[in-house]
Amino acid sequence: MASSSPDPFFLLIFLTLFLTISTSNSLSSSSPSPLSSPSPKPSPISTPRTHSSSSILDPNQLKALQSLNIPTGKTPCSPSHNTTTICDSSTPFSHIVSLNFINCSDDVALSLTALKSLSTVKDLGFYNCPISPIRLPSQLALNLKSFTCVSSLKKLTGVWLSKLVNVTDLTVSHVSIVASGPSIIMNSIKNLHSVTISNANLTGYLPKHWHSNLSYVDLSGNKLKGRIPSSLTELENLVYLNLSSNSLNGTIPASFGDLSSLQNVSLSSNSLSGSVPDSFAAIPRLVHLDLGSNQLNGTIPKFISDMKGLKYLNLERNNFHGVLPFNASFIKKLAVLKVGGNSNLCYNHSTLSSKVKLGIAPCDKHGLPVSPPASKDISSDDTDDSDDYADDESQHQEHSHGPSKVVLGISIALSSIVFIIIFLILLAKCCK
Ligand SMILES: *[C@@H]1O[C@H](CO)[C@@H](O)[C@H](O)[C@H]1NC(C)=O
Ligand SMILES: *[C@@H]1O[C@H](CO)[C@@H](O)[C@H](O)[C@H]1NC(C)=O
Ligand SMILES: *[C@@H]1O[C@H](CO)[C@@H](O)[C@H](O)[C@H]1NC(C)=O
Ligand SMILES: *[C@@H]1O[C@H](CO)[C@@H](O)[C@H](O)[C@H]1NC(C)=O
Ligand SMILES: *[C@@H]1O[C@H](CO)[C@@H](O)[C@H](O)[C@H]1NC(C)=O
Ligand SMILES: *[C@@H]1O[C@H](CO)[C@@H](O)[C@H](O)[C@H]1NC(C)=O
Ligand SMILES: *[C@@H]1O[C@H](CO)[C@@H](O)[C@H](O)[C@H]1NC(C)=O
Ligand SMILES: *[C@@H]1O[C@H](CO)[C@@H](O)[C@H](O)[C@H]1NC(C)=O
Ligand SMILES: *[C@@H]1O[C@H](CO)[C@@H](O)[C@H](O)[C@H]1NC(C)=O
Ligand SMILES: *[C@@H]1O[C@H](CO)[C@@H](O)[C@H](O)[C@H]1NC(C)=O
Ligand SMILES: *[C@@H]1O[C@H](CO)[C@@H](O)[C@H](O)[C@H]1NC(C)=O
């Protein structure tokens, strides 16, 4: 029976086999998937639309987009591979309210004329767009509610940023900023809720006056110096504070605990001295506390172990001394605990097992480290820490690999069954 027309039943079986194998392939290469990496083709049609364009985009704005080299096509109000555009639904023409440039090519020039006709934009963002700095028309500058610049525009000045007087959210990161300090920027903006100026080589001192509405402040990775002003602790809406990797010195303000909304705080990698203020005990919802790599001294306060929500605690590389006041159940509850690099700190070996790797020595009966960690210098601490971290990571990874292995196994089993069925059918056909 050598019929040339393909057997539909046969085709079905092959299709099933093919699907099973390709499914199991894509599963086995779960996260670093080779399938997704080769040249993501620009396909604006398949990207989800953010706005069902019921009305037509203002012709002037359409022209401006085209002059900026933004692929417009049929749906200018939808994301393409290097921009996202969101429009309002006003009539007769809709207007652009959000414009974000992503991974743009370096030949893009944002002309003043084009930007002038885009002054309806409220949310402007540049992500990885190392184009030349732009002149913002004042109408656009006044209209902006949110401005983001990440690894873009090469260089910004405090004067340029201080023109964005109406923004509530300001993010500038990995861009060098020339300014006398954060004050010139932050004090010109009238209603700032969230500010990130990080890894910007910003110099100067922390502001003396802060907007009472601030809930998010990230000034990490700059060259800020001087003390932390106690006026900062009046921000009762502040949820997030990151001042890490600057050159701040002096003590942590005693009123720090007035920051009653605070959840995540990092003051790490500065030159802060003195002890941890008792008022920290009054911060009810602290989740993340990083005071590492400073010159803080005194004992580690016992009240830290009463912080119910705490998940991350870093006190490493300071000058803390005495007995670590934590028990095993508190340590187990934390996702991360770092206390190494405090040469006069020790743990009570009758309450804590040495299996909990802390990077500090056990105490003698006077509460002093038993073997002065003379041989254990900074360099060996380094490796200890990274080892601990690696241990943690590998454990987590083992857990998360479990289910995908099961799925892979099932897929292999399924494809084998399909193989056997085909084999049997072939056998039946040829023996007819
Ligand atoms: C931008 O480029 C980075 C790295 O080249 C890539 O990971 C990212 O997905 C790109 N983003 C967009 C929206 O194309
Ligand atoms: C977006 O990508 C297109 C094609 O890759 C390019 O011609 C255009 O200059 C890019 N636009 C921007 C704003 O980077
Ligand atoms: C922005 O601020 C200016 C003056 O500082 C004010 O006149 C204007 O109404 C504000 N614009 C918006 C859109 O809030
Ligand atoms: C900050 O300064 C350092 C050294 O002076 C330089 O390597 C780095 O690129 C600068 N960062 C930015 C965002 O310009
Ligand atoms: C704080 O924000 C509210 C609304 O979010 C606003 O009414 C109020 O004026 C702001 N206060 C200050 C001091 O900017
Ligand atoms: C603070 O910022 C640094 C980098 O700028 C980052 O590595 C760190 O995770 C941040 N800390 C918190 C508490 O978010
Ligand atoms: C903090 O640093 C400044 C210089 O930036 C210095 O004048 C001052 O004495 C330092 N203060 C303390 C307490 O170390
Ligand atoms: C706050 O800290 C927790 C615990 O470390 C972390 O999971 C979370 O992402 C942080 N939140 C922010 C906004 O950084
Ligand atoms: C902590 O350091 C400060 C100076 O930075 C010093 O005055 C104080 O005596 C030190 N306290 C302890 C308990 O070592
Ligand atoms: C461990 O410390 C916490 C917080 O101080 C306390 O609530 C708990 O009872 C202690 N657990 C044990 C077993 O001592
Ligand atoms: C260690 O803990 C035991 C039992 O809680 C206690 O009797 C002892 O005094 C503690 N040692 C030090 C040095 O604190």
Side-chain angles (χ1 to χ4, degrees):
M1 206 180 84
S3 74
S4 54
S5 67
D7 188 338
F9 178 65
F10 228 65
L11 270 181
L12 188 73
I13 291 287
F14 266 109
L15 206 65
T16 320
L17 178 66
F18 176 74
L19 281 179
T20 319
I21 285 178
S22 54
T23 319
S24 75
N25 265 348
S26 67
L27 278 169
S28 64
S29 56
S30 52
S31 51
S33 166
L35 284 178
S36 56
S37 51
S39 64
K41 293 197 188 75
S43 54
I45 305 125
S46 65
T47 50
R49 289 184 195 185
T50 37
H51 171 72
S52 51
S53 45
S54 47
S55 50
I56 299 155
L57 181 64
D58 181 327
N60 283 331
Q61 297 201 331
L62 185 64
K63 222 189 288 170
L65 287 184
Q66 282 158 351
S67 82
L68 298 178
N69 250 336
I70 295 172
T72 45
K74 273 188 193 154
T75 52
C77 291
S78 63
S80 78
H81 75 288
N82 53 7
T83 48
T84 66
T85 317
I86 297 174
C87 306
D88 64 11
S89 48
S90 54
T91 48
F93 296 123
S94 72
H95 294 102
I96 300 173
V97 291
S98 169
L99 182 59
N100 288 276
F101 296 86
I102 304 150
N103 294 347
C104 46
S105 49
D106 48 13
D107 61 343
V108 173
L110 304 186
S111 74
L112 190 61
T113 334
L115 288 172
K116 268 185 179 157
S117 52
L118 293 173
S119 53
T120 55
V121 169
K122 290 183 186 309
D123 160 27
L124 180 63
F126 298 90
Y127 301 82
N128 192 22
C129 285
I131 58 177
S132 302
I134 53 175
R135 259 188 73 195
L136 271 194
S138 59
Q139 190 55 51
L140 176 57
L142 288 180
N143 203 43
L144 287 182
K145 286 272 176 275
S146 152
F147 177 75
T148 304
C149 178
V150 177
S151 306
S152 300
L153 304 184
K154 290 178 180 151
K155 184 190 266 186
L156 290 174
T157 64
V159 173
W160 194 95
L161 287 166
S162 68
K163 301 226 165 91
L164 309 176
V165 293
N166 291 322
V167 295
T168 58
D169 290 48
L170 177 68
T171 302
V172 182
S173 183
H174 295 277
V175 183
S176 127
I177 296 181
V178 181
S180 57
S183 304
I184 181 178
I185 304 162
M186 292 172 66
N187 292 352
S188 324
I189 299 176
K190 285 175 297 183
N191 194 11
L192 201 55
H193 290 176
S194 166
V195 59
T196 297
I197 302 176
S198 67
N199 301 296
N201 284 344
L202 184 62
T203 55
Y205 297 90
L206 288 173
K208 293 243 159 24
H209 302 286
W210 302 79
H211 289 276
S212 57
N213 272 354
L214 275 170
S215 66
Y216 191 102
V217 172
D218 181 352
L219 298 174
S220 64
N222 287 301
K223 294 176 174 166
L224 302 173
K225 58 188 177 178
R227 308 174 64 91
I228 298 176
S230 57
S231 57
L232 174 67
T233 67
E234 289 160 17
L235 298 177
E236 51 189 32
N237 298 319
L238 195 66
V239 172
Y240 179 98
L241 176 65
N242 194 342
L243 301 176
S244 71
S245 302
N246 280 291
S247 306
L248 303 172
N249 67 6
T251 56
I252 301 175
S255 56
F256 202 84
D258 292 353
L259 294 168
S260 56
S261 303
L262 203 57
Q263 292 176 13
N264 292 43
V265 57
S266 176
L267 306 177
S268 69
S269 303
N270 281 291
S271 304
L272 301 170
S273 54
S275 57
V276 178
D278 289 343
S279 66
F280 262 90
I283 306 177
R285 287 183 288 274
L286 211 55
V287 172
H288 187 112
L289 175 58
D290 189 348
L291 302 176
S293 302
N294 279 292
Q295 285 129 42
L296 299 169
N297 66 7
T299 54
I300 290 179
K302 168 100 181 72
F303 62 71
I304 289 182
S305 66
D306 295 327
M307 293 179 167
K308 295 277 177 288
L310 201 65
K311 286 274 170 269
Y312 180 107
L313 178 60
N314 187 346
L315 302 170
E316 72 182 358
R317 290 160 209 265
N318 278 290
N319 300 323
F320 292 116
H321 70 263
V323 185
L324 186 72
F326 303 150
N327 64 23
S329 55
F330 173 71
I331 291 178
K332 204 173 158 200
K333 201 194 68 175
L334 293 174
V336 174
L337 170 64
K338 295 183 179 191
V339 291
N342 290 283
S343 50
N344 294 316
L345 189 68
C346 59
Y347 68 92
N348 187 335
H349 56 90
S350 53
T351 57
L352 284 181
S353 136
S354 62
K355 270 185 271 175
V356 187
K357 283 193 201 162
L358 294 169
I360 53 174
C363 303
D364 65 11
K365 61 180 188 299
H366 308 293
L368 298 169
V370 279
S371 51
S375 60
K376 276 188 87 186
D377 251 354
I378 303 158
S379 56
S380 70
D381 271 356
D382 246 337
T383 52
D384 267 352
D385 279 345
S386 51
D387 275 358
D388 281 1
Y389 206 75
D391 277 0
D392 250 354
E393 291 275 286
S394 62
Q395 270 174 17
H396 284 299
Q397 273 170 13
E398 256 169 35
H399 287 309
S400 66
H401 271 202
S404 107
K405 270 185 191 155
V406 171
V407 175
L408 181 63
I410 292 175
S411 318
I412 290 177
L414 276 178
S415 9
S416 319
I417 291 173
V418 174
F419 254 120
I420 290 171
I421 292 176
I422 290 185
F423 181 71
L424 287 179
I425 291 171
L426 281 175
L427 207 67
K429 285 227 169 193
C430 84
C431 297
K432 254 182 205 171

